[in-house]
């Protein structure tokens, strides 16, 4: 949860960041200059190092579990994991897949909406 939460903070700070050289987040125009600079400082400073530390911790945890005989990588890739007898599996039907597809579509629309606020960016 810490890794996901910190990724959310990194995205938010990146959206309003301004490095005063070449990169400005698409929502920077809606915040004060000091806020954009503070967001940039967090995004490229503490936020970056915390994110790297959590990624390393995540990888170390995967290795430790592997050394203890539990493979976490294959279930992360395939989405399937053998469960102890009597443990019910999660639902994996068309309703869940349709819900996931709708959520992906909504996320794509949100990204497109945020990008319309951007000025000069990659490819501009």
């Amino acid at each position: 949860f810490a890794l996901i939460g910190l990724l959310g903070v990194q995205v938010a700070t990146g959206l309003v960041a301004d490095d005063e050289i070449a990169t400005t987040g698409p929502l920077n125009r809606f915040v004060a200059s000091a806020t954009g600079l503070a967001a940039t400082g967090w995004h490229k400073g503490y936020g970056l190092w915390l994110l790297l530390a959590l990624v390393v911790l995540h990888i170390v945890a995967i290795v430790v579990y592997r050394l203890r005989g539990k493979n976490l990588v294959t279930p992360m890739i395939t989405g399937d994991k053998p469960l102890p007898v009597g443990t019910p599996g999660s639902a994996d039907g068309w309703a869940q897949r349709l819900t996931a597809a709708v959520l992906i579509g909504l996320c794509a629309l949100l990204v497109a909406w945020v990008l319309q606020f951007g000025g000069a960016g990659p490819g501009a």
Side-chain angles (χ1 to χ4, degrees):
F1 291 117
L3 187 56
I4 291 171
L6 185 59
L7 281 171
V9 172
Q10 284 293 94
V11 168
T13 56
L15 287 172
V16 298
D18 179 8
D19 68 0
E20 295 188 314
I21 298 172
T23 307
T24 303
L27 301 181
N28 178 264
R29 71 173 93 170
F30 299 111
V31 299
S33 179
T35 302
L37 294 174
T40 303
W42 167 264
H43 189 82
K44 292 185 173 186
Y46 292 117
L48 171 65
W49 290 106
L50 279 172
L51 185 60
L52 291 174
L54 287 176
V55 167
V56 168
L57 180 64
H58 185 72
I59 293 170
V60 167
I62 291 170
V63 170
V64 167
Y65 271 89
R66 182 67 176 169
L67 293 174
R68 292 181 179 177
K70 294 188 180 196
N71 181 5
L72 299 178
V73 175
T74 302
M76 278 191 261
I77 294 170
T78 65
D80 292 320
K81 177 182 175 184
L83 298 173
V85 176
T87 304
S90 62
D92 185 22
W94 285 107
Q96 290 78 20
R97 293 175 186 192
L98 180 61
T99 301
V102 167
L103 286 173
I104 289 170
L106 289 173
C107 288
L109 287 174
L110 178 63
V111 167
W113 179 72
V114 168
L115 287 178
Q116 79 177 350
F117 293 110

